[in-house]
Structures are given as C-alpha cells and as structure tokens.
Amino acid sequence: NAFNLARRLGFRDPEWFFANSVSTNFPFGAYGLVTEAAYAANLVQLANEAGEQALQWAYEEAKKAGIDVKTKLLLGEPAWALLQFAQEEAADLVCVHSQRKSALGSLFMGSVSRGLAIGSHQSVLISKCPTPAEWNVTAVFATDLSEYSDKTIDKLISLRPRGIGTVHVM
C-alpha cells in the first residue's frame, strides 16, 4: 500500500529501496541457557527467511509494474533500523504502511509508523489503507509558520510530485 501510494505521487525518476527489518528481540529470560540459545538461533534464522521472502515478493510485484527496485534486509528494532537506513541512503522520503492495532497491541508490539514519524530526519509517507488508483492523492501539510516548516514545503516542491490533487495547509 505504501509503495502504491508513493508511486501515485508521480515523482520524476525516483530511486526505490525496499527495506524490511528483522527484530532480534525475543522474549527469553536467561540467554545463557543452552536451550534458549538454540531457540533464539532458530528464531533468528526463521525471521531472516521470512524477511527475505517478504522482500522477494515485494521485488517481484515492483518488477511486474515495470519498476526497478533495490532491496535490503535490516536487523534490529524496525523503526530504528529503517531510520538508520534512510540516513545512510540519504533518502528524501520514507514510506511505510500503518496497520490498525488496539491500544494494547500498540503497547506490546509498538508502532513502526509512529517511531518513523517521531524520529525521522526525512519526510514520512504513511499509508493507511488501499485506495483506488483513480482517486487523487490529497496531502495535508501542517505548519507552525516556522523556518523549518518553510524548508519542508520547499523540499516537497523540489521533489516535484505530479500526482497530488489537493493540498490542505493547516
């Protein structure tokens, strides 16, 4: 969903990176136990395999759409790993899909999109649900009339998106 929304913005000649982060934080109490070490190693291997499969699927979907992408499997807490990767690649925009969670689900599983929105030095595009391709993209730009806000709108203009139908400035 995030990829489709980003594509609809119509950036000129974008360079696409698909990144997936595998968290290695597992709920074991005493990592010194041999049995827990074996379980942890197995879980890391399974998580890496699932992460690679997800990246491969996304890569193939992008190829079907005629879009060249690069993929990268990251390790660590997802929001932090994605923020670090975006910094290393000097990304202009970080795109992520947000899934609805209950308050309890957010407390225990966290929120990658919230972490990105709070900690990112780049602009963050958060998709919430699939939208039909014929719908115009509506952007909401919240400003506090500061120099920083002026710089962010200048950055958006420099990216020259062609797919925004309406911009609401608040």
Side-chain angles (χ1 to χ4, degrees), residues 6 14 41 45 55 71 86 89 95 112 120 124 129 133 135 141 143 160:
Q45 179 182 353
L55 282 173
T71 61
E89 293 299 326
C95 306
V112 174
S120 183
V124 178
C129 60
W135 287 12
F141 181 76
T143 180
R160 301 171 55 197

Side-chain angles (χ1 to χ4, degrees), residues 120-169:
S120 183
H121 295 283
Q122 294 81 11
S123 294
V124 178
L125 174 72
I126 302 172
S127 71
K128 294 239 179 215
C129 60
T131 56
E134 63 272 6
W135 287 12
N136 286 329
V137 175
T138 299
V140 177
F141 181 76
T143 180
D144 60 2
L145 304 176
S146 67
E147 183 179 335
Y148 176 79
S149 288
D150 290 344
K151 287 180 182 178
T152 58
I153 195 66
D154 290 342
K155 181 65 174 177
L156 176 63
I157 291 167
S158 75
L159 293 173
R160 301 171 55 197
R162 295 169 287 169
I164 297 177
T166 306
V167 176
H168 296 283
V169 178

